[in-house]
């Protein structure tokens, strides 16, 4: 008779103590660094929606299983529980490797240093140990007459374990993307690739072409910086204009080669010229004040205005030609009160899909519309701020309302190639306070259905936050201090299948 047949009891006992060591160690590392474990499990695939109770169930299950394995009378039940846990852990890692985003391991301790594939192999080995120990235990059990009992029990436990984890994955993904309880799912493989020194902090995105990016300047409306996308060289250009036609300091430039537009909504004036000589050669004067404007592909200007009839904020569009004919779309912003600040937000235009988005500054709401401002969907950001938190002074000057304090929720947004990118200032569940203070969070939504997709970090530069941003191709450009920082979104968008939000 072979050696292992004589020592099945010893082998079973050794395997049991290996599992005791594994489960006690894993549970203690989770509990001793509980806050970090809670954050990690809260952002992990298939677990996010259930993190509130899983963060307790996982270590408690490991400790209870270890206790069952410690005593001979309950060891068999402990081995069955060990098999169930190892199959569930292995299934979880398999889904991570093939169907989910790349999330840091939440095991803690030495196991945290393993790569995902090494961790999967480790779990499979211990799953085989559990099967071997169960087999030997059944074989030594003289009361067991059914020789197929081991295979039935092992199969049932394995199928139930795989089914449980699969159900968690499918239901959690649906909850996160459709009914998000303010749990972000971060994409981490987004490297910073460059800094461009702008020698000033008053620049904004004005437009782009295949070869160049154009930046305007809030302080100097006639100054344009042109950045070559291939060489990253920066050229400063000054718009040529006669003194008689000089708009106010509030004017902003928009560039859509071969044309540029100098727009002043305060006085309803638009100047136009070509990018070949940067000289103004046309002037258009209208009769409506507007702000927060975006230029579309067909030289239509989208804007926000105070509707002269309702005295509430509304969206509209105008055509850049003589007298600037316009159309206001009333009630689109659905002002819940008389306070005009409640409807404040930012307009963004996606030139690739021709969708328009409007993201509210002070609450968790955004609109997606057509170029003619036909409302397609009304959706919500994943935070819980459904009503603006504003303090408005209406007593100092009854004829003029003044916003003196507010809680900004979504201070900046940009839409590109079917996705809406929103900078959020509200910390979600299971997010580390230290990381939150050092970074800015960008949330990504699908503009076709409004569903949340993922989030990513943009790091502050010398303590300075991200002011606003834009996206071109697969590159994120952010204005931080006097720099234009660049992050590569390729892996998130259409590279690594683990983080592909275009699926």
């Amino acid at each position: 008779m072979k050696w292992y047949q004589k020592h099945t009891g010893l082998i079973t006992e050794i395997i049991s103590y290996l599992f005791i060591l594994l489960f006690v160690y894993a549970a203690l590392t989770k509990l001793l660094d509980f806050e970090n474990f809670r954050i990690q499990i809260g952002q992990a695939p298939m677990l996010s929606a259930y993190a509130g109770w899983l963060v307790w169930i996982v270590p408690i299950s490991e400790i209870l299983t270890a206790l069952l394995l410690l005593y001979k009378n309950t060891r068999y039940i402990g081995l069955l529980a060990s098999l169930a846990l190892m199959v569930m852990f292995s299934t979880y890692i398999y889904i991570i490797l093939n169907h989910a985003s790349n999330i840091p391991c939440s095991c803690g301790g030495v196991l945290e240093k393993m790569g995902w594939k090494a961790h999967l192999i480790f779990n499979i080995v211990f799953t085989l140990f559990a099967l071997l120990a169960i087999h030997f235990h059944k074989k030594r059990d003289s009361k067991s007459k059914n020789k197929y009992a081991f295979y039935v029990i092992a199969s049932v436990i394995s199928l139930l374990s795989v089914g449980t984890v699969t159900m968690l994955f499918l239901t959690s993904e649906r909850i996160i993307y459709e009914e998000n309880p303010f749990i972000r799912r971060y994409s981490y493989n987004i490297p910073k690739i460059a800094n461009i020194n702008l020698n000033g902090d008053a620049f904004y995105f004005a437009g782009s072409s295949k070869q160049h990016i154009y930046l305007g300047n809030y302080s100097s409306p006639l100054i344009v910086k042109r950045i070559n996308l291939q060489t990253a060289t920066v050229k400063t250009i000054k718009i040529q204009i006669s003194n008689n036609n000089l708009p106010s300091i509030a004017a902003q430039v928009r560039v859509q080669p071969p044309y540029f537009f100098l727009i002043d909504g305060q006085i309803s004036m638009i100047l136009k010229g070509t990018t070949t000589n940067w000289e103004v050669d046309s002037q258009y004067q209208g009769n409506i004040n507007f702000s927060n404007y975006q230029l579309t592909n067909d030289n239509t200007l989208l804007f926000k205005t105070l509707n002269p009839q309702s005295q509430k904020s509304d969206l509209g569009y105008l055509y850049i030609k003589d007298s600037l004919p316009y159309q206001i779309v009333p009630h689109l912003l659905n002002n819940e009160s008389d306070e005009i600040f409640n409807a404040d937000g930012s307009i963004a235009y996606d030139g690739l899909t021709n969708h328009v988005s409007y993201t509210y500054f002070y609450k968790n709401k955004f609109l997606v519309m057509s170029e003619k401002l036909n409302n397609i969907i009304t959706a919500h950001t994943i935070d819980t701020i459904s009503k603006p938190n504003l303090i408005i002074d209406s007593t100092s000057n009854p004829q003029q309302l003044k916003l003196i304090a507010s809680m900004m929720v979504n201070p900046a947004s940009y839409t590109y190639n079917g996705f809406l990118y929103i900078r959020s200032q509200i910390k979600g569940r299971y997010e580390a306070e230290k990381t939150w203070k050092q970074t800015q969070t960008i949330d990504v939504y699908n503009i076709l259905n409004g569903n949340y997709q993922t989030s990513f970090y943009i790091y502050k530069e010398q303590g300075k936050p991200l002011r606003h941003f834009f996206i071109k191709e697969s590159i994120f450009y952010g204005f931080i201090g006097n720099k234009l920082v660049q992050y590569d979104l390729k892996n998130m968008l259409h590279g690594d299948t683990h983080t592909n939000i275009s699926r």
Side-chain angles (χ1 to χ4, degrees), residues 253-285:
V253 65
R254 297 290 185 268
V255 182
Q256 199 172 82
Y259 303 106
F260 73 87
F261 302 85
L262 196 59
I263 303 169
D264 191 337
Q266 290 186 352
I267 59 176
S268 194
M269 176 187 289
I270 297 179
L271 308 178
K272 180 181 177 182
T274 65
T275 56
T276 54
N277 57 18
W278 293 93
E279 293 182 4
V280 170
D281 54 29
S282 302
Q283 176 178 325
Y284 310 97
Q285 188 76 51

Side-chain angles (χ1 to χ4, degrees), residues 4 18-19 51 98 113 124 137 145 181 187 228 261 304 343 384 391 395 434 467 501:
Y4 75 85
L18 283 174
F19 272 114
N98 293 276
K113 308 303 180 184
I124 290 174
H137 196 284
K145 303 298 183 182
S187 296
N228 188 299
F261 302 85
K304 184 164 78 78
T384 58
I391 300 176
T395 59
K434 182 179 179 181
R467 298 191 306 277
I501 67 170

Side-chain angles (χ1 to χ4, degrees), residues 29-44:
T29 54
K30 292 179 178 70
L31 295 174
L32 290 174
D33 193 9
F34 185 78
E35 182 61 23
N36 186 48
F37 173 60
R38 186 179 70 88
I39 292 170
Q40 289 176 328
I41 203 171
Q43 296 179 8

Side-chain angles (χ1 to χ4, degrees), residues 28-131:
L28 286 178
T29 54
K30 292 179 178 70
L31 295 174
L32 290 174
D33 193 9
F34 185 78
E35 182 61 23
N36 186 48
F37 173 60
R38 186 179 70 88
I39 292 170
Q40 289 176 328
I41 203 171
Q43 296 179 8
M46 89 187 72
L47 303 181
S48 302
Y50 307 109
W53 51 271
L54 279 176
V55 72
W56 292 106
I57 284 181
V58 173
I60 289 173
S61 298
E62 291 172 333
I63 291 173
L64 289 177
T65 302
L67 290 173
L68 290 171
L69 290 167
L70 190 61
Y71 302 101
K72 289 186 178 181
N73 291 340
T74 58
R75 183 163 293 162
Y76 180 63
I77 297 175
L79 289 171
L80 295 179
S82 300
L83 175 62
L85 287 174
M86 296 316 298
V87 171
M88 284 192 282
F89 293 158
S90 300
T91 305
Y92 167 62
I93 295 176
Y94 175 82
I95 293 176
I96 285 177
L97 288 172
N98 293 276
H99 302 288
S101 58
N102 186 16
I103 303 295
C105 175
S106 57
C107 302
V110 175
L111 299 180
E112 190 175 8
K113 308 303 180 184
M114 289 186 182
W116 284 107
K117 291 183 179 179
H119 205 154
L120 179 60
I121 294 171
F122 178 90
N123 285 357
I124 290 174
V125 169
F126 268 81
T127 300
L128 295 176
F129 283 167
L131 288 169

